[in-house]
Amino acid sequence: MDNKTPDIDMRMFAKNAGTNMSFPAGSIIFKEGDVSSCVYIVQSGSVEIVTHDKVTDVCGPGDALGFMSLIDGGPNTASARVKDTAELSVIDARKFRFMVDEVPNFAFYIMKALAHRVRGMRDKI
């Protein structure tokens, strides 16, 4: 981020705001085409973003996933598969909306994650 926008420790914030869950390698967090009702923040491990059976991104600690479907109500554009055993914080739609409205820099954090994901998918085409 730029010097004018301080980073927020999303892992710590999400760990306190969400429900924390562990997933073994190979687990499917959500599937392409399904509609998500929550956002996931990676606490540890790694999660692959898979589109049409092709890995388009790998998310690590501090990264968010599942937010696109929650934002627009449409189906997931990709699946999320655990690469290495992972701990994720799960934030439901109500808390997500509250965080966008009330937590300084959270909306910017999500916009930055969205831009990263779109650019990454574009580079894979």
Side-chain angles (χ1 to χ4, degrees):
M1 290 193 205
D2 62 49
N3 293 334
K4 296 178 185 175
T5 308
D7 287 337
I8 56 176
D9 185 348
M10 188 47 58
R11 288 190 307 165
M12 184 180 73
F13 191 85
K15 194 167 199 159
N16 293 324
T19 302
N20 299 297
M21 300 177 68
S22 293
F23 296 88
S27 297
I28 302 298
I29 306 298
F30 55 80
K31 292 182 181 178
E32 185 174 353
D34 290 349
V35 176
S36 290
S37 60
C38 54
V39 171
Y40 303 87
I41 308 295
V42 180
Q43 292 292 334
S44 64
S46 59
V47 177
E48 297 173 318
I49 304 301
V50 181
T51 306
H52 305 298
D53 296 320
K54 183 177 180 184
V55 175
T56 57
D57 198 6
V58 177
C59 299
D63 289 337
L65 21 133
F67 54 85
M68 289 174 57
S69 180
L70 193 60
I71 289 170
D72 68 6
N76 290 315
T77 58
S79 296
R81 178 178 63 212
V82 177
K83 181 177 179 182
D84 300 312
T85 300
E87 180 184 353
L88 305 176
S89 294
V90 183
I91 299 171
D92 65 27
R94 183 185 61 77
K95 285 182 185 172
F96 178 78
R97 285 188 209 101
F98 174 83
M99 290 167 67
V100 168
D101 289 342
E102 302 295 331
V103 177
N105 301 320
F106 181 73
F108 186 77
Y109 165 82
I110 292 297
M111 288 186 292
K112 185 175 177 182
L114 180 58
H116 169 80
R117 193 74 33 80
V118 169
R119 287 183 190 279
M121 289 180 75
R122 181 178 167 206
D123 292 344
K124 301 285 182 188
I125 296 175

